[in-house]
Amino acid sequence: MTQFFASPVRDASSALRDYFVPANAPFSCLVKKGESVRIVDLEGQQAVDTLFYKADDFTERYSSQDTLRVQGSAYVSTGTKLISSEGNVMATVIADTCGRHDTSAGACSCEANTVRFGHQVKYLHACRENFVIEVSKHGMTKRDIVPNINFFMNVPVEPTGELAIVDGISGPGDYVELRAEMDVLLVISNCPQINNPCNGFNPTPIQVLVFGAED
Amino acid sequence: MTISVETQTFIEENKRRYEELKAAGQQHAPKALPGPTLRGSASIMPGAVLHTETIPGGWYWSTPLKAGEALRIHLAHGPAAVSMIAWSATDASERLNYADTVKVQWTSALGKGRVLFSDMGRVMFSMVEDTTGMHDALVGGSTPASNRARYGDKVLRNTRDNFILEALKRGLDKRDIPPALTFFAPVRTDADGNFRWIEDARQTGDFVDLRAELDLVVALSNCPHPMDPAPDYAPPPVEAIRHQPPAPAADDLCRTATIEAVRGFENNAR
Ligand SMILES: [Zn+2]
């Protein structure tokens, strides 16, 4: 796998803030313009479903379709600009040790799980449950939840339009780093999915580090 | 990293369930989907037409659509692209979800025989007829920024603003606008995942028939797709025909083509 490090790589100990997000859990924090957020897949093969909202106007939020259109490619990696519903750049991917990430397939939900896997899996915790709980802390509702980025998830889109099913490709310690281009609210669901290989059948914790602006 | 016995057991259990689910899914052999509907076929009986709307180039239109009714989007006046969003008529927080639609059917290539899902695991539309099979589920409609990038600094209508207007007129707001599907926008990826536009995949006379499977409100926008390479902004009018199709038979293609569609319709019935 090609490595896509930014250079120089900043030491984790220089982070302003350091969060541990347990397996299955939701998480959110504010990231100021110029700060960088590093999402670390501590044990590997863990999907991290992520949304962004403009910090002072939550009606402006991450748009998967605008992001795909502007970069002209189905995958997110180093250099990808994450575009908002208003056409503004919210963040830029500045480092990525994994290679590529998905923003076509959205988050798992109890309801979609019944369709994908059968009704017997309805009562299993899911990303949309996490998102609803987490955005409610900021005064938002299900209306505010839009299709997200799935960091560390590999969903190849074939020239026929088919989406392929493949195992997670991240290893322990793999990370993705994003520089905020506006003040954003970062919302994460550390995916609890255990019905397919995206989390290696075993959801694991992640780390979120926030670094100060570089000179 | 050492894995505890408990974790190992947990992984094995989940893996076993995954294998069981996969095997059960394979017992329901998916039906082979037919090719596109022939142009000029599948005419609507005159008595079945409930309303015909001609949407001028650049404009938008919306309609309630009761479960069982259908909407034909017809390129009656030349090749165009029509973006669509939809809400449940009874709860606007339930809306068209393109990500679930492509994920649960494992394809972004939507065509005759496919269904379109809401975010609540329910089927909103069946694609009962479709002459092209070339629609865009991933890139979305035009925006003020995409128009500026394509056509320069002119004042031109765009899909994003059309949907904002539509939402606001219905007492909704920007937060209620889900990502759009765009019919007759022939977008695919190349082997590296880069989007490309497949010219000549649509022509005058193309149509798609969407049968509502829930009581819905549907909004359409008739603007050029942002990847359309045509140098001029010149969208022709399109026809939208609300009509009453025959009731689906027990072996209805869209309701039985895949195990995922079957389960989606089970959710509709709950
Ligand atoms: Zn998930």
Side-chain angles (χ1 to χ4, degrees), chain A residues 42-43 57-61 63-75 85-87 100 103-122 124 128 139-148 150 153 155 157-167 172 193-197 200-203, chain B residues 1 3 7 10-12 14-15 17-19 21 91-95 97-100 102-109 114 117-122 136-143 145-146 160 164 171-181 188-196 198 226-227 259-264 266-267 270:
Chain A
L42 291 171
E43 298 182 25
D57 176 8
F58 294 153
T59 70
E60 179 168 356
R61 67 275 307 268
S63 167
S64 52
Q65 291 189 328
D66 288 289
T67 297
L68 292 178
R69 188 193 78 242
V70 164
Q71 65 158 349
S73 159
Y75 313 120
S85 53
E86 306 303 321
R100 69 186 193 189
T103 193
S104 303
C108 64
S109 69
C110 296
E111 293 79 15
N113 282 349
T114 68
V115 177
R116 295 174 75 192
F117 307 115
H119 299 288
Q120 70 274 30
V121 305
K122 180 173 179 184
L124 288 173
R128 205 162 298 144
M140 292 187 273
T141 71
K142 184 171 88 78
R143 294 163 76 198
D144 298 288
I145 295 168
V146 290
N148 53 285
N150 294 303
M153 250 186 84
V155 182
V157 181
E158 308 290 346
T160 57
E162 305 291 308
L163 272 63
I165 313 170
V166 295
D167 290 1
Q193 181 64 263
I194 51 173
N195 293 298
N196 71 12
F201 300 107
N202 181 35
Chain B
M1 189 130 333
I3 296 176
T7 303
F10 179 70
I11 293 172
E12 291 308 325
N14 293 337
K15 225 183 243 174
R17 190 176 57 240
Y18 168 69
E19 296 299 340
L21 292 170
D91 172 9
S93 83
E94 179 173 5
R95 66 270 309 253
N97 189 300
Y98 86 89
D100 283 356
V102 304
K103 173 170 60 188
V104 306
Q105 298 181 101
W106 291 108
T107 185
S108 61
R114 293 289 180 187
F117 281 90
S118 79
D119 62 300
M120 295 299 283
R122 303 202 296 169
D136 167 45
L138 299 181
V139 176
S142 62
T143 68
S146 79
R160 173 71 184 168
I164 290 175
L172 304 172
D173 70 32
K174 287 196 293 185
R175 298 181 296 159
D176 297 300
I177 302 172
L181 295 177
R188 290 288 183 271
T189 55
D190 64 17
D192 297 321
N194 298 310
F195 291 110
R196 61 201 187 95
I198 300 167
M227 286 181 60
I259 187 68
E260 288 83 8
V262 169
R263 291 185 195 128
E266 285 168 1
N267 285 342
R270 280 169 191 217

Side-chain angles (χ1 to χ4, degrees), chain B residues 158-220:
Chain B
N158 67 84
T159 286
R160 173 71 184 168
D161 285 342
N162 279 345
F163 287 150
I164 290 175
L165 290 163
E166 186 56 59
L168 270 288
K169 285 181 178 179
R170 290 188 169 274
L172 304 172
D173 70 32
K174 287 196 293 185
R175 298 181 296 159
D176 297 300
I177 302 172
L181 295 177
T182 307
F183 297 104
F184 315 112
V187 174
R188 290 288 183 271
T189 55
D190 64 17
D192 297 321
N194 298 310
F195 291 110
R196 61 201 187 95
W197 179 268
I198 300 167
E199 199 53 73
D200 302 326
R202 56 178 182 167
Q203 61 187 58
T204 306
D206 275 326
F207 62 88
V208 60
D209 269 343
L210 305 165
R211 185 178 65 212
E213 303 293 357
L214 299 167
D215 290 349
L216 301 175
V217 174
V218 184
L220 303 178

Side-chain angles (χ1 to χ4, degrees), chain A residues 49 107-108 126-127 189 191-193:
Chain A
D49 293 43
C108 64
C127 280
S189 166
C191 182
Q193 181 64 263

